[in-house]
Amino acid sequence: MSVLQNYINGRWVDSLSDATIGVENPATGKVISKVPAGTATDIDEAVKAASATAKQWRDTPAVQRVQYLYKMKSALEAHADEIAAICTDESGKTFGESKAELVRAIENIEVACGIPTLMQSEFSEDIARGIDEFMIRQPLGVCACIAPFNFPIMIPFWFMPYAIACGNTYIVKPSEKVPGTMTRIFEILAEAELPAGVLNLVHGAKDTVNAILDHPEIKAISFVGSTAIAKYVYQRGTANGKRVQAQGGAKNPVIIMPDADIDATVRIIADSVYGCSGQRCLAASLVVMVGEAKNIFRDKLIEAAQAKKTGYGMKPDVAMGPVITRESKERIESIIDAALQEGCSLLLDGRGLKPEGYEDGFFVGPTVLDDVRQGGNVFSTEIFGPVMGLMYADTLDDAIALVNSGHYGNSACIFTRSGSAARKFRHDAMAGNIGVNIGVAAPMAFFPFSGWKDSFFGDLHAQSHHAVEFYTQTKVVIERWHDEWNRKF
C-alpha cells in the first residue's frame, strides 16, 4: 500500500519520516491508505519553498491572483463526485453530506475572488494643509492551516483562498485521519497552475503541528479542533509571535418554545443533532424544551431519531454514517454509560449497533438521553457524536440562563413563532453564531464564522472580512509634497 506524499514547491515528494499511520475507512474498519507521521524537516522544506516565492506572489496584482481562484473553483466543481466519494470513505459521513461540504468550500473561493475590493483601505486628503494620510493592506508572508478530520474539504477553504488571494503563500496540514481527501484536491488544484511554492501540502501528526507552531518563518496559523488542542495551539503559536485563530469545541444548545412549528422543528433539530454523526462543531447537542414544549415535542424528537437509518455513507438510503475511529466510538459509548450513572434516562440507545455487512465499522446509532443535569458531565462535555440530550425549563429566561451557564459559546438556536422571544434570545444568548428557527447556524462565506468563550481563541475569525484582516497587516502612510520641490525638476 503506497504512502501519501507531500506537495511542496509544485512537486509531489516523499516525507522524510519513516513512520506511517494507517488511515481507516470507519464504515469497514479497514486500512485504505497510509500517511507519513511527518517531521519538522518536512515543514521546513515547505516553508523554504513558500518563502522563496512569497515576494513574487505578493507583487502579483490582486486582480491576477484571483484568476487562479476562478480556475480552482472550476476544477473542484468538475471533480465534485470524486472528491465527495473519497471524503465519505475517509470520514464516514454520507455522500450527500460530503457534496454539501464541497459546496461550502467553493463558496469561500467565490468570496475570496472579491479580494481586489475586500483589500481596499482608506484615504484622507489634507489631514493638515498639504498632507495626506492613507492606509494600505499588505500580506504577512508564509501562513499555515492545521485542519481537523470532520470537514476535510470545507475547513481548509475557510482560510486558504483568502490567504493566497491576499498575497500570502500557504501550507495546509490535513488531519492524519483523513489525508487522502486533501491530497486528491491538491492533485486537482494543479489545473489552476498556481506558481510553484504558493500552495503546499504537508502530512503528519503532532511533531508536524509543533513544527508549524515553532517555525519562525510562519507568520499566521489557522486551526479547528477540540478546545484543549485549540488552547495549546493558540498559546504555543502566540508565544512564538504568530497570529493565531483557533476554533475550539462546542455544545450548541437549542431552545424549543411551545409555539414552535412542530414538523419543521422536529425535522431540523434531528438533522442538526445527527448530521455527520454529530461530529461537527455546530451540531445541536442539548435540546431545552420550555414549558408545555415537553409534552408537544419530546416523543416526536425520539421518533425522528429512530427514523435515521445508519450505515455506509455511500448507500443512498443511509442518513447517518459511522464515527471517525474505534476510539471515538468507545469514548462516545463511555459517555453514555457515565450519563446513566449521573441519573439520565436512556430513551434511545445507539450503542452496539452493527449494520449488516459493516459489522466491523465504528457505528454509534442515534441516541437520546433524558433529564440531563445542569453542570453534569453530559451537560458540559462535547460528545462529538450522535447523542441528543434533553433538558427542560419553565421560562425562556430560565432556558437562556442554561445556555449561558456553559463554558462553550460557539452556537445557540431557538425555535419559536414569537418575534419577541426570538429577539430576546438573539440579544441575550452568549454565543457567537445564533440561529432562529435554524438548526445549524453556519454563516455563509461572506460572514465570519464566529465563536465565543472556550469555543474560540483569537481575535479574528474565519471567512469574509475577518479573513482579510487576519491575513494582512496594515501600513499607514502620511505624506507631503512641496510645490517648490517639483519646480526644481
XYZ file of all heavy atoms in Angstrom, residues 263-336:
554
model
N -43.635 20.169 12.974
C -42.969 19.306 11.996
C -41.599 19.846 11.598
O -40.609 19.105 11.556
C -43.852 19.131 10.759
C -45.112 18.328 11.054
O -45.118 17.590 12.064
O -46.088 18.440 10.287
N -41.535 21.134 11.285
C -40.263 21.724 10.849
C -39.230 21.678 11.963
O -38.055 21.359 11.734
C -40.485 23.160 10.379
N -39.652 21.987 13.187
C -38.713 22.000 14.319
C -38.126 20.620 14.573
O -36.904 20.462 14.745
C -39.424 22.517 15.582
O -39.856 23.854 15.356
C -38.485 22.472 16.781
N -38.978 19.597 14.596
C -38.509 18.229 14.847
C -37.542 17.785 13.759
O -36.466 17.234 14.031
C -39.703 17.266 14.952
C -39.220 15.816 14.960
C -40.509 17.572 16.203
N -37.901 18.028 12.504
C -37.036 17.599 11.389
C -35.690 18.311 11.423
O -34.633 17.682 11.279
C -37.745 17.878 10.069
C -36.881 17.634 8.827
C -37.647 17.921 7.546
N -38.269 19.231 7.546
C -37.615 20.356 7.261
N -36.313 20.324 6.986
N -38.248 21.522 7.258
N -35.719 19.617 11.635
C -34.479 20.404 11.602
C -33.565 20.022 12.763
O -32.344 19.874 12.589
C -34.803 21.909 11.635
C -35.478 22.326 10.315
C -33.535 22.733 11.852
C -36.055 23.730 10.349
N -34.135 19.850 13.959
C -33.299 19.506 15.112
C -32.702 18.112 14.957
O -31.519 17.888 15.256
C -34.105 19.624 16.417
C -34.391 21.100 16.710
C -33.350 18.984 17.588
C -35.219 21.343 17.951
N -33.488 17.147 14.467
C -32.948 15.794 14.257
C -31.801 15.821 13.255
O -30.778 15.150 13.441
C -34.056 14.854 13.784
N -31.958 16.598 12.190
C -30.872 16.717 11.210
C -29.650 17.382 11.826
O -28.506 17.023 11.525
C -31.344 17.525 10.001
C -32.323 16.766 9.122
O -32.426 15.530 9.280
O -33.001 17.409 8.290
N -29.878 18.358 12.708
C -28.764 19.067 13.331
C -27.990 18.175 14.293
O -26.761 18.175 14.309
C -29.292 20.297 14.074
O -28.246 20.977 14.742
N -28.717 17.395 15.087
C -28.065 16.525 16.073
C -27.312 15.384 15.403
O -26.175 15.062 15.763
C -29.101 15.959 17.061
C -28.446 14.921 17.986
C -29.730 17.068 17.889
N -27.932 14.768 14.393
C -27.399 13.521 13.848
C -26.681 13.674 12.508
O -26.073 12.717 12.028
C -28.530 12.498 13.737
C -29.174 12.212 15.063
C -30.503 12.539 15.313
C -28.433 11.658 16.106
C -31.085 12.305 16.543
C -29.002 11.424 17.343
C -30.334 11.743 17.560
O -30.892 11.509 18.796
N -26.736 14.856 11.900
C -25.966 15.075 10.681
C -24.482 14.905 10.934
O -23.967 15.306 11.977
N -23.784 14.263 9.991
C -22.350 13.977 10.140
C -22.077 13.200 11.437
O -21.011 13.337 12.041
C -21.513 15.246 10.103
S -21.654 16.182 8.572
N -23.065 12.410 11.865
C -22.972 11.608 13.100
C -22.661 12.464 14.326
O -22.024 12.008 15.275
C -21.911 10.507 12.940
O -22.231 9.666 11.858
N -23.104 13.717 14.287
C -22.865 14.619 15.414
C -21.450 15.138 15.490
O -21.092 15.830 16.449
N -20.631 14.844 14.484
C -19.213 15.220 14.520
C -18.982 16.541 13.785
O -18.244 16.604 12.813
C -18.359 14.110 13.895
C -18.443 12.795 14.654
C -17.704 11.688 13.941
O -16.784 11.082 14.480
N -18.089 11.397 12.706
N -19.647 17.572 14.229
C -19.406 18.892 13.663
C -19.535 19.927 14.773
O -20.295 19.753 15.727
C -20.353 19.195 12.510
C -21.825 19.036 12.795
C -22.647 19.235 11.521
N -24.059 18.976 11.755
C -24.951 18.892 10.789
N -24.570 19.030 9.522
N -26.225 18.664 11.054
N -18.810 21.016 14.623
C -18.735 21.995 15.708
C -20.008 22.804 15.841
O -20.140 23.586 16.781
C -17.525 22.903 15.521
S -17.511 23.799 13.961
N -20.973 22.636 14.940
C -22.251 23.320 15.058
C -23.407 22.340 15.264
O -24.569 22.717 15.143
C -22.516 24.185 13.818
C -21.661 25.446 13.689
C -22.011 26.196 12.409
C -21.845 26.367 14.889
N -23.108 21.088 15.549
C -24.170 20.112 15.782
C -24.929 20.460 17.060
O -24.330 20.760 18.097
C -23.587 18.712 15.894
N -26.266 20.414 16.990
C -27.059 20.585 18.207
C -26.775 19.428 19.155
O -26.626 18.285 18.723
C -28.542 20.637 17.868
N -26.678 19.720 20.421
C -26.326 18.689 21.398
C -27.317 18.647 22.547
O -27.778 17.583 22.944
C -24.911 18.933 21.926
O -24.535 17.964 22.859
N -27.663 19.821 23.084
C -28.625 19.924 24.175
C -29.910 20.560 23.646
O -29.864 21.623 23.021
C -28.062 20.783 25.306
C -26.811 20.256 26.018
C -26.288 21.304 26.991
C -27.111 18.954 26.751
N -31.030 19.915 23.883
C -32.325 20.447 23.467
C -33.107 20.820 24.722
O -33.440 19.960 25.543
C -33.115 19.425 22.625
C -34.466 19.998 22.222
C -32.304 19.031 21.386
N -33.370 22.123 24.877
C -34.041 22.646 26.065
C -35.477 22.991 25.695
O -35.729 23.898 24.904
C -33.317 23.891 26.609
C -33.988 24.373 27.900
C -31.839 23.615 26.835
N -36.437 22.261 26.247
C -37.852 22.499 25.968
C -38.454 23.357 27.072
O -38.296 23.055 28.256
C -38.578 21.163 25.838
C -38.249 20.443 24.542
S -38.859 18.743 24.492
C -37.387 17.847 25.012
N -39.130 24.416 26.662
C -39.669 25.397 27.606
C -41.161 25.127 27.844
O -41.948 25.032 26.897
C -39.465 26.831 27.090
C -40.103 27.850 28.048
C -37.976 27.123 26.915
N -41.549 24.995 29.112
C -42.949 24.836 29.480
C -43.608 23.635 28.825
O -43.103 22.502 28.904
N -44.723 23.870 28.144
C -45.507 22.806 27.522
C -44.809 22.176 26.317
O -45.305 21.187 25.764
C -46.866 23.349 27.086
C -47.829 23.582 28.240
C -48.083 22.285 29.004
O -48.433 21.270 28.360
O -47.942 22.287 30.244
N -43.692 22.734 25.888
C -42.976 22.159 24.743
C -42.588 20.702 25.006
O -42.500 19.900 24.072
C -41.727 22.986 24.436
N -42.372 20.343 26.253
C -42.022 18.956 26.584
C -43.113 17.994 26.109
O -42.820 16.957 25.487
C -41.811 18.811 28.084
C -41.576 17.373 28.535
C -41.377 17.292 30.043
C -41.131 15.852 30.488
N -40.918 15.746 31.951
N -44.364 18.315 26.390
C -45.460 17.430 26.013
C -45.701 17.406 24.504
O -46.234 16.434 23.970
C -46.742 17.867 26.730
C -46.608 17.783 28.241
O -45.918 16.895 28.755
N -47.240 18.700 28.952
N -45.295 18.462 23.820
C -45.526 18.567 22.376
C -44.410 17.892 21.584
O -44.674 17.206 20.582
C -45.641 20.052 21.960
C -46.787 20.731 22.710
C -45.815 20.186 20.446
C -46.815 22.244 22.556
N -43.158 18.064 22.013
C -42.016 17.719 21.160
C -41.237 16.477 21.588
O -40.566 15.857 20.765
C -41.045 18.915 21.085
C -41.569 20.064 20.285
C -42.217 21.118 20.905
C -41.431 20.096 18.915
C -42.707 22.183 20.182
C -41.908 21.155 18.175
C -42.559 22.198 18.801
N -41.276 16.123 22.850
C -40.368 15.065 23.358
C -40.507 13.763 22.581
O -39.514 13.225 22.055
C -40.640 14.841 24.841
C -39.788 13.760 25.501
C -40.112 13.747 26.994
N -39.485 12.650 27.686
C -40.019 11.438 27.834
N -41.198 11.166 27.271
N -39.380 10.496 28.497
N -41.694 13.226 22.473
C -41.877 11.942 21.804
C -41.597 12.047 20.310
O -41.080 11.097 19.697
C -43.303 11.427 22.035
C -43.536 11.008 23.481
O -42.533 10.823 24.209
O -44.710 10.877 23.880
N -41.921 13.177 19.714
C -41.680 13.355 18.278
C -40.182 13.409 17.961
O -39.737 12.932 16.924
C -42.393 14.607 17.773
C -43.910 14.477 17.787
C -44.574 15.678 17.158
C -46.104 15.491 17.155
N -46.516 14.339 16.331
N -39.398 13.988 18.858
C -37.943 14.009 18.670
C -37.375 12.589 18.721
O -36.474 12.240 17.949
C -37.284 14.882 19.732
C -37.479 16.400 19.582
C -37.004 17.128 20.836
C -36.747 16.930 18.346
N -37.897 11.774 19.633
C -37.433 10.380 19.727
C -37.779 9.627 18.441
O -36.960 8.885 17.889
C -38.062 9.691 20.950
C -37.633 10.398 22.240
C -37.660 8.214 21.001
C -38.419 9.957 23.463
N -38.997 9.830 17.929
C -39.405 9.172 16.691
C -38.517 9.589 15.524
O -38.133 8.753 14.686
C -40.866 9.513 16.385
C -41.864 8.908 17.360
C -43.268 9.456 17.159
O -43.466 10.220 16.179
O -44.155 9.135 17.975
N -38.172 10.870 15.453
C -37.313 11.352 14.373
C -35.922 10.741 14.471
O -35.295 10.416 13.453
C -37.232 12.873 14.413
N -35.441 10.573 15.694
C -34.126 9.946 15.880
C -34.163 8.481 15.461
O -33.238 7.981 14.795
C -33.695 10.072 17.343
N -35.217 7.777 15.821
C -35.347 6.359 15.460
C -35.391 6.161 13.951
O -34.964 5.122 13.436
C -36.618 5.786 16.088
C -36.550 5.617 17.590
C -37.886 5.227 18.192
O -38.935 5.676 17.730
N -37.860 4.383 19.220
N -35.881 7.162 13.230
C -36.042 7.040 11.779
C -34.741 7.232 11.014
O -34.700 6.986 9.802
C -37.083 8.050 11.300
N -33.684 7.650 11.680
C -32.400 7.897 10.998
C -31.701 6.564 10.729
O -31.161 5.940 11.651
C -31.507 8.791 11.860
C -32.017 10.206 12.052
C -31.835 11.029 10.804
C -32.275 12.464 11.009
N -32.211 13.237 9.764
N -31.674 6.147 9.486
C -31.003 4.884 9.150
C -29.493 5.096 9.154
O -28.969 6.027 8.532
C -31.451 4.382 7.785
C -30.820 3.039 7.428
C -31.375 2.461 6.143
C -30.698 1.130 5.831
N -31.224 0.529 4.582
N -28.793 4.212 9.848
C -27.343 4.308 9.997
C -26.664 3.221 9.189
O -27.096 2.063 9.202
C -26.954 4.179 11.482
O -27.666 5.162 12.237
C -25.465 4.400 11.682
N -25.584 3.575 8.479
C -24.863 2.601 7.673
C -23.747 3.253 6.879
O -23.281 4.355 7.218
N -23.316 2.597 5.826
C -22.234 3.087 4.969
C -22.734 4.293 4.180
O -23.768 4.237 3.507
C -21.797 1.964 4.035
C -20.735 2.340 3.021
C -19.688 3.195 3.351
C -20.778 1.818 1.728
C -18.717 3.525 2.428
C -19.807 2.131 0.793
C -18.784 2.988 1.146
O -17.819 3.311 0.221
N -22.005 5.378 4.251
C -22.463 6.654 3.713
C -22.633 6.724 2.215
O -23.277 7.655 1.712
N -22.089 5.776 1.459
C -22.265 5.791 0.013
C -23.601 5.175 -0.405
O -23.979 5.263 -1.577
C -21.113 5.042 -0.672
C -19.778 5.765 -0.611
S -19.797 7.400 -1.385
C -20.046 6.962 -3.115
N -24.320 4.549 0.507
C -25.634 3.975 0.179
C -26.684 5.086 0.213
O -26.753 5.864 1.167
C -25.991 2.860 1.169
C -25.095 1.630 1.020
C -25.561 0.517 1.924
C -24.728 -0.744 1.692
N -24.936 -1.315 0.362
N -27.518 5.178 -0.812
C -28.423 6.331 -0.936
C -29.479 6.456 0.147
O -29.975 7.548 0.406
C -29.071 6.103 -2.313
C -28.908 4.651 -2.604
C -27.624 4.250 -1.946
N -29.853 5.354 0.800
C -30.904 5.429 1.809
C -30.368 5.646 3.219
O -31.128 5.676 4.188
C -31.758 4.162 1.785
C -30.942 2.899 2.073
O -29.700 2.941 1.892
O -31.542 1.881 2.466
N -29.057 5.809 3.350
C -28.436 5.982 4.666
C -28.435 7.459 5.044
O -28.033 8.317 4.252
C -27.006 5.416 4.677
C -26.233 5.897 5.900
C -27.047 3.894 4.658
N -28.894 7.762 6.265
C -28.944 9.142 6.744
C -27.777 9.491 7.654
O -27.479 10.670 7.855
C -30.261 9.388 7.486
N -27.124 8.479 8.235
C -26.037 8.738 9.180
C -24.988 7.655 9.071
O -25.309 6.466 9.035
C -26.593 8.789 10.605
C -25.647 9.415 11.613
S -26.389 9.502 13.267
C -26.035 7.858 13.870
N -23.721 8.062 8.992
C -22.629 7.117 8.880
C -21.982 6.824 10.221
O -22.504 7.185 11.280
N -20.816 6.179 10.203
C -20.097 5.856 11.444
C -19.381 7.075 12.000
O -19.285 8.112 11.348
C -19.086 4.803 10.971
C -18.812 5.191 9.549
C -20.114 5.691 8.998
N -18.856 6.936 13.209
C -17.945 7.944 13.739
C -16.539 7.622 13.235
O -16.289 6.572 12.654
C -18.016 8.022 15.277
C -19.396 8.479 15.713
C -17.656 6.691 15.928
N -15.609 8.522 13.460
C -14.360 8.515 12.715
C -13.430 7.341 13.056
O -12.785 6.787 12.183
C -13.621 9.864 12.890
C -12.398 9.948 11.981
C -13.265 10.101 14.349
C -12.718 9.985 10.522
N -13.338 6.940 14.318
C -12.402 5.882 14.708
C -13.028 4.970 15.759
O -14.047 5.307 16.382
C -11.103 6.464 15.309
O -11.423 7.192 16.500
C -10.387 7.390 14.331
N -12.401 3.832 15.968
C -12.838 2.922 17.028
C -12.741 3.604 18.390
O -13.598 3.428 19.259
C -11.967 1.657 17.006
C -12.479 0.539 17.904
C -11.578 -0.684 17.789
N -11.345 -1.081 16.408
C -12.188 -1.802 15.684
N -13.328 -2.205 16.213
N -11.886 -2.125 14.440
N -11.680 4.406 18.581
C -11.505 5.115 19.853
C -12.645 6.109 20.077
O -13.120 6.278 21.212
C -10.159 5.839 19.867
C -8.938 4.930 19.932
C -8.642 4.242 18.592
O -9.139 4.718 17.535
O -7.919 3.218 18.598
N -13.091 6.776 19.010
C -14.212 7.709 19.135
C -15.479 6.974 19.539
O -16.242 7.441 20.402
C -14.431 8.458 17.818
O -13.375 9.337 17.544
N -15.721 5.839 18.903
C -16.892 5.023 19.243
C -16.863 4.636 20.725
O -17.869 4.783 21.439
C -16.904 3.775 18.363
C -17.907 2.689 18.763
C -17.749 1.476 17.853
C -18.450 0.246 18.397
N -19.921 0.399 18.407
N -15.715 4.163 21.196
C -15.600 3.741 22.593
C -15.769 4.929 23.541
O -16.393 4.812 24.602
C -14.247 3.064 22.806
C -14.122 1.729 22.064
C -12.709 1.174 22.079
O -11.795 1.907 22.532
O -12.508 0.031 21.623
N -15.219 6.077 23.158
C -15.340 7.273 24.007
C -16.805 7.710 24.110
O -17.304 8.020 25.210
C -14.488 8.409 23.431
C -14.559 9.707 24.219
C -13.788 10.825 23.519
N -14.258 11.029 22.164
C -15.368 11.696 21.841
N -16.125 12.225 22.803
N -15.728 11.855 20.589
N -17.517 7.742 22.978
C -18.918 8.163 22.992
C -19.759 7.205 23.825
O -20.602 7.627 24.638
C -19.450 8.248 21.544
C -18.729 9.366 20.785
C -20.959 8.467 21.528
C -18.900 9.308 19.281
N -19.527 5.916 23.661
C -20.301 4.937 24.426
C -19.997 5.021 25.918
O -20.876 4.816 26.751
C -20.031 3.534 23.879
C -20.612 3.338 22.473
C -20.385 1.947 21.923
O -19.498 1.238 22.442
O -21.080 1.570 20.966
N -18.759 5.362 26.262
C -18.423 5.511 27.683
C -19.108 6.744 28.275
O -19.491 6.746 29.458
C -16.907 5.607 27.868
O -16.408 6.838 27.388
N -19.290 7.801 27.465
C -20.008 8.989 27.947
C -21.478 8.656 28.184
O -22.088 9.114 29.156
C -19.859 10.150 26.937
C -18.405 10.648 26.918
C -20.803 11.296 27.274
C -18.114 11.686 25.858
N -22.063 7.828 27.306
C -23.443 7.390 27.505
C -23.552 6.584 28.803
O -24.489 6.764 29.602
C -23.927 6.562 26.300
C -23.932 7.432 25.033
C -25.310 5.979 26.557
C -24.181 6.657 23.755
